[in-house]
Amino acid sequence: MRKFDSIIKSGTIITAADTFEGDIGIKDEKIIQIGLNLEDKEAKIIDAKGKYVMPGGIDPHTHMDMPFGGTHASDDFNTGTVAAACGGTTTIVDFSIQSKGKTLKETAAIWREKADGNAVIDYGIHLNITDMNDDILEEIPTMIKEGYPSFKLFMTYDGMRVTDYILMKTLKKVHENGGLTSVHAENYHAIKYFTEKLKAEGKVEPKYHAVSRPDIVEGEAAGRAIKLAKLCGTPLYIVHNSCEESASEIKRAREAGYPIMGETCPQYLVLSYDNYEEPGFEGAKYVMSPPLRNKSNWPYMWKALAKNTVQLVATDHCPFFMKQKELGKEFFGKIPNGAPGVELRMALMYTYGVGGNNFDLQRFVQITSTNAAKIFGMYPKKGTIAVGSDADIVIFNPHIEKTVTKEMLHENVDYTPYEGMKLKGYPEVTISRGKVIAENGKFTGEKGYGKFIKRKAPMII
Ligand code: DUC
Ligand code: ZN
Ligand code: ZN
């Protein structure tokens, strides 16, 4: 009998804890042996000499096919996960958005229908509650048991936001049943105030989107959510921290011993408010929430990522074609919020994180994979290279140099916010449960190969 289906040979294996040379033996979708000189004449040999062999990327914040402002994000579970795979990501956790009147069970089923048979990599689903009532609250324990242990609430957005009262009820119920609540933290009323004022003054171009939601708007909501979590005695996870105003709230809470966690995204580390000043309607490419910030935030955010103030880097991948962005040609408030990012996360974090001397290879693995697996209930099935774990692996070539173009990417959208940026280091081979699904920028996997991940209890890290 064949001992291994495949062996990844002679790579430099990097985990969250260590770096060593070795071979990885894979059988039946799992890593079954790690060692030197593994042999099996019948096994497929994947040569990784001179390259890094790391846990496949995990992006716990994507919006495939998300309805927003009368349109839908342009990547669906097929196109979006093909792009993820080509960029070295082997797992996503996507946000299912509850429509008015739908139960959580129905919401999850709608998202499963979008994903099942389409995703090319494994995926989990968060439940984004927008319409809370007593029945929904009572559904939470069942949903956690069924593999949906993470919930998100919007503190802003008409039609989707919840009150502080609902946030407190959710924090308590989710925590009592072994789940984790996260928030999109921005102050709804402040944004409304600034948006109305800017519109009345005729300031309607894309850049005013950023002006309408300054850093303090985010910091205030993050600080408030943290205080409510303290009052409830629960953990809290804050998505897409963009600036010092919010990340410093997390830092303060963590230093005082509170179980507060969060993420940032590549766009808040390498792009800035200056992008909104691009000519014509180009600034619309960067209309997302929270918006891009002044560059002065970059050092703080890199340090927050390096020092575990925030635990990981996600993308908030939510692309729209420029045609869709034009819904807001006359007024920034109508531009669908979101931008692509799922494909370049690993390369950007390597180039500017490791290459930029912001952190080492262990931290790279922690922030791109291991910590997401831990926080979102997938560890050690996902997020590590260990005997018994799924063989989700990226072979990363630190020597490849590229200049980003839209054409080299697989995202279903007509631009990339990272156009023209220089990269050094790029994923070469992506392996999902033992199968090579992308190689040298080409997708080699199969539609529908991705499986739903029934997730377990989150870890506080
Ligand atoms: N922010 C975005 O930019 N897009 C989707 C949702 C969100 O919170
Ligand atoms: Zn958000
Ligand atoms: Zn989001």
Side-chain angles (χ1 to χ4, degrees):
M1 208 183 58
R2 214 156 82 179
K3 190 167 174 202
F4 303 116
D5 297 330
S6 54
I7 304 172
I8 303 173
K9 274 264 168 213
S10 312
T12 302
I13 299 168
I14 321 263
T15 72
D18 44 23
T19 298
F20 56 99
E21 308 294 313
D23 300 344
I24 298 173
I26 297 168
K27 175 89 176 154
D28 297 333
E29 305 190 348
K30 304 265 183 212
I31 296 170
I32 63 160
Q33 198 173 345
I34 302 170
L36 291 172
N37 305 315
L38 302 189
E39 295 281 348
D40 181 343
K41 289 203 168 34
E42 288 174 65
K44 173 186 164 95
I45 303 296
I46 302 169
D47 179 21
K49 197 160 177 53
K51 316 212 173 120
Y52 296 144
V53 180
M54 305 194 280
I58 301 178
D59 186 345
H61 190 152
T62 65
H63 295 286
M64 302 306 172
D65 199 17
M66 182 195 181
F68 194 103
T71 185
H72 279 77
S74 56
D75 261 323
D76 61 19
F77 270 89
N78 183 240
T79 60
T81 57
V82 166
C86 292
T89 289
T90 51
T91 300
I92 59 167
V93 191
D94 199 81
F95 285 93
S96 65
I97 315 282
Q98 180 194 20
S99 304
K100 294 277 159 244
K102 295 274 187 229
T103 65
L104 297 183
K105 197 177 158 81
E106 287 164 342
T107 304
I110 292 168
W111 246 256
R112 288 289 298 277
E113 202 167 312
K114 288 175 190 273
D116 295 345
N118 286 317
V120 307
I121 58 172
D122 294 349
Y123 59 91
I125 292 175
H126 304 287
L127 296 168
N128 196 148
I129 300 173
T130 64
D131 188 16
M132 179 62 96
N133 56 45
D134 287 348
D135 292 340
I136 299 294
L137 206 60
E138 287 316 312
E139 260 195 292
I140 287 175
T142 317
M143 297 312 292
I144 292 175
K145 281 194 203 95
E146 291 186 1
Y148 303 88
S150 49
F151 298 79
K152 188 179 85 176
L153 302 173
F154 284 112
M155 295 173 79
T156 191
Y157 289 132
D158 276 319
M160 295 203 288
R161 78 187 177 101
V162 300
T163 60
D164 291 353
Y165 168 74
I166 295 296
L167 171 53
M168 288 178 82
K169 296 209 45 143
T170 309
L171 282 165
K172 197 83 187 157
K173 190 75 173 184
V174 167
H175 179 59
E176 281 170 357
N177 289 280
L180 178 67
T181 300
S182 64
V183 286
H184 169 132
E186 286 185 296
N187 182 310
Y188 169 78
H189 295 98
I191 295 168
K192 188 172 156 71
Y193 171 83
F194 284 124
T195 304
E196 284 172 2
K197 183 168 180 295
L198 289 161
K199 195 176 180 198
E201 290 166 1
K203 295 175 174 164
V204 291
E205 295 83 1
K207 69 176 177 187
Y208 292 109
H209 168 77
V211 179
S212 74
R213 33 216 318 154
D215 307 33
I216 295 177
V217 161
E218 184 182 339
E220 183 282 326
R224 178 161 36 103
I226 290 169
K227 288 188 180 84
L228 297 177
K230 285 183 189 172
L231 286 171
C232 293
T234 69
L236 171 71
Y237 181 91
I238 302 180
V239 298
H240 51 44
N241 292 274
S242 71
C243 57
E244 180 171 349
E245 284 284 347
S246 64
S248 61
E249 295 285 351
I250 300 180
K251 182 167 185 283
R252 196 146 55 95
R254 288 179 68 85
E255 283 171 357
Y258 290 98
I260 308 298
M261 300 181 288
E263 68 192 25
T264 187
C265 309
Q267 56 268 35
Y268 304 123
L269 296 160
V270 302
L271 302 176
S272 76
Y273 176 82
D274 297 353
N275 292 95
Y276 294 114
E277 301 281 5
E278 289 175 17
F281 193 61
E282 295 290 289
K285 290 175 174 172
Y286 313 96
V287 168
M288 61 184 79
S289 296
L292 301 179
R293 303 300 188 187
N294 193 293
K295 280 186 176 128
S296 57
N297 284 281
W298 287 352
Y300 192 94
M301 295 312 291
W302 279 112
K303 195 163 171 214
L305 197 49
K307 300 284 183 206
N308 210 40
T309 294
V310 293
Q311 286 64 47
L312 61 94
V313 69
T315 60
D316 202 10
H317 180 79
C318 189
F320 297 97
F321 280 89
M322 287 310 281
K323 202 85 219 136
Q324 295 173 284
K325 292 275 187 188
E326 279 174 17
L327 284 166
K329 195 103 206 192
E330 309 300 326
F331 170 45
F332 67 82
K334 297 250 183 278
I335 301 173
N337 284 200
V342 78
E343 191 162 356
L344 287 173
R345 184 182 67 116
M346 302 287 279
L348 287 167
M349 285 305 102
Y350 184 80
T351 300
Y352 296 95
V354 180
N357 289 321
N358 284 301
F359 43 72
D360 64 10
L361 285 165
Q362 270 59 57
R363 189 62 184 160
F364 175 81
V365 170
Q366 291 162 20
I367 61 148
T368 58
S369 182
T370 310
N371 288 356
K374 288 181 174 172
I375 294 172
F376 294 108
M378 298 179 279
Y379 191 81
K381 176 180 168 66
K382 305 287 189 193
T384 189
I385 293 183
V387 170
S389 295
D390 283 358
D392 286 0
I393 291 167
V394 59
I395 301 178
F396 195 94
N397 185 336
H399 306 297
I400 295 178
E401 295 192 38
K402 284 182 194 268
T403 300
V404 176
T405 62
K406 157 65 203 130
E407 288 67 39
M408 77 189 219
L409 301 175
H410 301 75
E411 298 163 341
N412 182 40
V413 60
D414 50 359
Y415 76 95
T416 169
Y418 305 102
E419 188 78 29
M421 289 187 75
K422 301 260 186 274
L423 299 174
K424 183 158 186 209
Y426 209 81
E428 210 164 76
V429 181
T430 308
I431 299 168
S432 165
R433 282 182 278 107
K435 184 181 159 86
V436 173
I437 57 164
E439 205 164 356
N440 298 316
K442 275 215 165 54
F443 177 64
T444 59
E446 196 185 317
K447 188 175 178 181
Y449 177 78
K451 283 189 190 157
F452 171 68
I453 307 163
K454 201 170 163 185
R455 292 178 294 121
K456 302 200 178 90
M459 286 187 201
I460 309 299
I461 58 172

